[in-house]
């Protein structure tokens, strides 16, 4: 029995079809990520540039939020502009 592999995208395509016309696959997905399958198993995801940029931006926001929470209880130190 083959193990079940989750596909973390709404669209998927075989790697053979991707090789034939990659830009058609991207266009057809209308900006959404596409799971690329090899023998019915996801091997990678094609993520359009705009979606990738949004993911990276969200990750940066999460990192900054974690830093704010980490520093939330720290004592503030006043610094004048001339001291910088």
């Amino acid at each position: 029995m083959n193990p079940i592999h989750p596909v973390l995208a709404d669209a998927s395509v075989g790697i053979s079809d991707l090789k034939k016309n990659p830009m058609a696959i991207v266009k057809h997905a209308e900006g959404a990520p596409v799971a690329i399958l090899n023998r019915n198993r996801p091997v990678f995801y094609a993520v359009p540039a705009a979606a990738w940029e949004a993911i990276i931006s969200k990750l940066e926001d999460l990192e900054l939020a974690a830093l704010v929470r980490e520093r939330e209880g720290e004592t503030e130190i006043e610094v004048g502009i001339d001291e910088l």
Side-chain angles (χ1 to χ4, degrees), residues 18-31:
L18 178 72
K19 288 179 190 179
K20 292 175 189 172
N21 194 347
M23 290 311 295
I25 300 301
V26 171
K27 183 178 178 182
H28 186 71
E30 298 178 344

Side-chain angles (χ1 to χ4, degrees), residues 42-64:
V43 290
F44 69 93
Y45 293 87
V47 181
W52 180 252
E53 290 163 4
I55 290 168
I56 295 303
S57 178
K58 184 69 171 178
L59 287 173
E60 289 171 348
D61 290 348
L62 290 171
E63 289 173 354
L64 285 173

